[in-house]
Amino acid sequence: MATQTFKHVLYPDVTISLALFRNVRNAKEIKQAVMGGKLDASLLKASMVMDPFLVIVAANKAVHSQKQGKMTTKTVHSEILFNLSPSRKITESFRKFGIGDRDESLLVVVVQNDQSEKTCKALQSLRETVIGEEVAVDELPSLADMSEIEKEYKLADIELSTCSALDALVSRIAAKDIISL
């Protein structure tokens, strides 16, 4: 499978798994399954994520907030969506970074407290639910809409002349709690 799994930096018993799907034909059904609690995952709009590293940063931050009892949202998976967004408005974060009913590419994030059967079952349930093609997570940059990402994060040419877009976005995600655009 094309899934990538990482251990959390501060909490090594926590794993973060990423799976990328394209040519998805049932985004609405998948979204309803997550919202209804049948699937435990974050569903990200692939076009709004230029690199998997951004998701790992957002997920690490979400897990840390969960462990500290300081989440802004109700679940670690919704916290990932919120952390990716430059907005402090939860609804806006979900609208911009969560999948829409007609999206054809999605990045799935599953956070578990260990690399157990539960993680494998969550990913398998997602694979069984998604009508589409699972591809390598490394293909994510080719699905990104850079003009939309630059617009959403308000990336300026002067900023991009001193650092990469990835560096700018990582900084924004990491510092979201202390600065705003």
Side-chain angles (χ1 to χ4, degrees), residues 20-28 30 44-47 99-107 130-135 143:
L20 181 62
F21 296 88
R22 67 176 179 198
N23 302 321
V24 175
R25 296 184 302 278
N26 65 332
K28 183 176 182 177
I30 300 162
L44 308 178
K45 190 177 303 223
S47 64
I99 65 165
D101 293 347
R102 294 193 174 113
D103 285 336
E104 294 180 1
S105 298
L106 68 113
L107 180 64
V130 174
I131 299 171
E133 172 188 2
E134 185 173 5
V135 297
L143 300 172

Side-chain angles (χ1 to χ4, degrees), residues 5 19 35 57 59 63 69 109 111 148-149:
T5 300
M35 290 173 64
V57 171
V63 170
V109 186
V111 175
E148 188 62 29
I149 291 169

Side-chain angles (χ1 to χ4, degrees), residues 25 47 67 80-81 87 92 101 115 124 136 142 154:
R25 296 184 302 278
S47 64
K67 296 282 188 180
I80 293 168
L81 273 165
S87 174
E92 173 113 357
D101 293 347
Q115 183 58 19
Q124 188 57 37
S142 70
K154 299 178 181 147

